[in-house]
Amino acid sequence: MTDIARPEARSPRGFIDRRARDLTAERKILAAVSEVYERHGFEALETGAFEFADALGKFLPDADRPNEGVFALQDDVDEDGAGTWMALRYDLTAPLARFAAQNWETLPKPFRRYAFGPVWRNEKPGPGRYREFVQCDADTVGSARPEADAEIIAMAVVGLEAAGLPAGSALVKINNRKLLNGLMTAAGVASEAQKLVVLRAVDKLDRLGPDGVRLLLGEGRKDESGDFTKGAGLTAAAAERVLAFTAAGAGDRTGTLAKLADVVGGSAEGDEGLAELAAIDAALSSMGVGADRAAFDPSVVRGLEYYTGAVFEAELLLQTTDDRGRPMRFGSIGGGGRYDDLVARFTGQRTPATGFSFGVTRLAAALKAAGRDLAADARGPVVVLVLDQERMSDYMAVAGELRAAGIAAEVYLGTSGMRPQMKYADRRLSPAAVIIGGDEFAAGTVTLKDLDLGRELASGVADNAAWRAERPGQVTVPRTELVAAVRRIVEAAPPAERA
């Protein structure tokens, strides 16, 4: 008899399985942020997971097999005898551009929408870097006003705080590509290739510091491994002008604008960028968003070939630690900006647009690293233990009564004894176990085991003595008081909230 070939149980690289605890945190974030976006007048939009490959544009260098950077497949053969390539969306913005172009005549303009859902990228996975993750976006299409950028920024600030970040624990840093273009003119940068080298050097400021960036703006820099990166070839004076631009950030937005005017003022694009930032400042101030929550930072460089005006990036300021408790810098938790050329790929007409995006999984990880795990108080259902197999209908009735009262409950459907059932309830993170044996059935009572209290006592927590004294670990009550007694246990603050 030949052996049956069995597949190995393993996950594809870059894809992860998530249980209720992780999903609970993400759902809390999405519910809180969605409420903020809808309060600002943004409507929900959901597009399909697949888009035609030519609609995505980015990551598609090979038209014959467009699977570089995305997961693509060939659709059914069309009338020309060839299949059309389509790919899983790699973000939520490209589908928005396609949707806006396809439905522009019937949409309210400007069109304000938010969306969330999984996106897929066919890239090399790494620690914390997955091929599938959940994004949440908010965008305004059809308004060129700087106030549209300001509203998106304000929404990002309020949305992140609603998701669980304390006020002031994240900072949205704002720049404008037109200022960067004005800087290039002032620094004598002529070619697009040289401009990209300069901007990439500026983007490394946080990691390399001014001295390292100065080398990259000049002849180049050799890193610790000995590898040499060719620089932008700017003169010393031009390099210092670029560094003065990146250092122009001040505590208040007005002061930053004044410093920026000294560096890039006088060029047409620079003056236009300054005017847009001034309008953004005025709008943010009118919405009560101060510089401690949204500040101008000239060192912010995003989407070098994508954004056309304002750019912004949300940075976590809270102290964070890794899995071993060591301090770590979490960095960016979201970003966005103005992109006025994306819809034009379909229509040929420039359509102004601006938006903000954050990775939901990454934000949940940031909150957890900062000691604010949204799933810390996650609880499973109340578990009704089965001690008499002949009375399954009675146990089912108990669970049904709890569910009718709005309490999540389940009947243990295995065949094990009481001890394994209690272990099962604990692994389910159940707040309570309902125990009804022969004595309870005869007396018309139920026994309730407070599993939250048991978990706290088992962990050796020394505080909250008063809370424990008021809460017995096990209690027997009349059957008629079942729901009220279970509710008292379920609604008591779990240990994570009381800490």
Side-chain angles (χ1 to χ4, degrees):
M1 182 176 179
T2 59
D3 293 334
I4 298 174
R6 293 183 176 88
E8 181 183 351
R10 66 195 191 280
S11 300
R13 286 193 318 134
F15 294 86
I16 58 172
D17 302 314
R18 295 176 298 156
R19 292 186 63 188
R21 187 179 180 86
D22 297 321
L23 296 175
T24 294
E26 293 190 7
R27 287 169 181 168
K28 285 185 177 181
I29 289 173
L30 289 172
V33 174
S34 295
E35 193 278 329
V36 169
Y37 290 169
E38 290 182 7
R39 199 186 328 142
H40 283 74
F42 283 66
E43 69 169 80
L45 173 68
E46 184 175 296
T47 58
F50 277 92
E51 295 283 340
F52 284 120
D54 59 358
L56 294 177
K58 191 179 179 184
F59 295 136
L60 303 174
D62 185 353
D64 294 327
R65 187 167 177 79
N67 56 3
E68 180 70 26
V70 297
F71 293 98
L73 58 85
Q74 204 163 21
D75 200 2
D76 294 337
V77 174
D78 55 29
E79 359 179 283
D80 296 329
T84 304
W85 281 97
M86 58 184 186
L88 287 169
R89 63 192 182 201
Y90 64 81
D91 69 4
L92 299 176
T93 312
L96 169 64
R98 187 270 306 159
F99 175 85
Q102 186 176 354
N103 300 278
W104 192 243
E105 293 303 318
T106 60
L107 291 177
K109 293 176 267 297
F111 178 57
R112 301 148 67 87
R113 85 89 175 87
Y114 76 93
F116 57 81
V119 297
W120 297 266
R121 296 184 182 178
N122 188 7
E123 299 172 335
K124 183 179 180 180
R129 185 182 181 89
Y130 304 112
R131 288 171 161 175
E132 177 185 36
F133 53 94
V134 178
Q135 276 193 330
C136 183
D137 288 20
D139 297 80
T140 297
V141 182
S143 175
R145 298 184 64 94
E147 289 80 6
D149 300 302
E151 184 179 52
I152 290 288
I153 294 167
M155 269 200 330
V157 168
V158 177
L160 291 173
E161 292 173 2
L165 291 175
S169 62
L171 178 67
V172 178
K173 301 185 294 184
I174 309 160
N175 197 4
N176 193 300
R177 291 301 307 276
K178 294 176 182 177
L179 292 183
L180 294 168
N181 291 339
L183 172 66
M184 298 299 105
T185 300
V189 177
S191 71
E192 287 297 317
Q194 188 180 27
K195 180 191 294 186
L196 287 176
V197 176
V198 171
L199 294 177
R200 289 187 179 120
V202 171
D203 198 31
K204 295 179 173 64
L205 187 63
D206 281 349
R207 184 164 58 87
L208 301 180
D211 292 339
V213 172
R214 184 178 286 107
L215 293 174
L216 290 177
L217 292 173
E219 295 305 313
R221 174 183 178 274
K222 183 181 292 186
D223 63 22
E224 296 175 354
S225 68
D227 291 338
F228 183 78
T229 301
K230 185 178 180 180
L234 298 185
T235 65
E240 292 307 317
R241 181 182 281 271
V242 173
L243 288 170
F245 174 84
T246 61
D252 64 285
R253 294 190 291 255
T254 303
T256 301
L257 286 176
K259 289 183 180 181
L260 289 172
D262 291 338
V263 180
V264 300
S267 69
E269 272 200 287
D271 287 342
E272 188 176 344
L274 288 170
E276 290 178 2
L277 286 186
I280 290 174
D281 174 38
L284 288 175
S285 298
S286 69
M287 289 184 281
V289 180
D292 60 326
R293 299 158 85 194
F296 293 149
D297 186 339
S299 67
V300 173
V301 177
R302 291 182 59 85
L304 301 180
E305 299 171 339
Y306 184 78
Y307 292 113
T308 58
V311 290
F312 24 90
E313 188 167 70
E315 181 180 359
L316 185 67
L317 303 180
L318 285 176
Q319 178 67 46
T320 56
T321 56
D322 61 17
D323 292 338
R324 298 183 180 179
R326 298 173 299 189
M328 58 176 280
R329 181 180 179 275
F330 205 92
S332 174
I333 53 175
R338 176 162 289 280
Y339 53 97
D340 290 346
D341 294 330
L342 198 58
V343 178
R345 293 185 58 250
F346 299 93
T347 64
Q349 299 178 345
R350 202 173 210 224
T351 304
T354 183
F356 177 82
S357 174
F358 68 90
V360 179
T361 305
R362 180 168 177 78
L363 179 55
L367 288 164
K368 186 174 182 179
R372 299 177 180 275
D373 185 0
L374 296 182
D377 62 345
R379 288 295 177 267
V382 171
V383 175
V384 180
L385 273 56
V386 175
L387 305 181
D388 184 347
Q389 298 292 336
E390 301 299 320
R391 306 200 66 156
M392 281 298 294
S393 60
D394 293 315
Y395 294 124
M396 289 290 183
V398 169
E401 186 177 342
L402 292 172
R403 292 167 187 157
I407 299 171
E410 68 166 274
V411 176
Y412 177 75
L413 295 178
T415 58
S416 301
M418 181 174 177
R419 189 179 183 87
Q421 290 188 51
M422 291 296 296
K423 187 175 182 179
Y424 170 84
D426 193 55
R427 285 185 172 178
R428 293 284 280 126
L429 295 179
S430 174
V434 178
I435 304 169
I436 313 176
D439 292 343
E440 284 86 2
F441 277 120
T445 61
V446 294
T447 296
L448 305 177
K449 183 75 172 178
D450 188 333
L451 299 181
D452 270 343
L453 177 60
R455 275 185 284 268
E456 178 171 347
L457 293 173
S459 68
V461 176
D463 58 1
N464 297 314
W467 177 84
R468 291 198 299 270
E470 297 172 358
R471 186 172 182 177
Q474 183 168 305
V475 62
T476 299
V477 299
R479 174 70 176 80
T480 54
E481 297 179 14
L482 166 70
V483 170
V486 170
R487 193 184 301 281
R488 282 194 295 271
I489 296 175
V490 171
E491 293 182 351
E497 285 187 4
R498 289 183 280 102

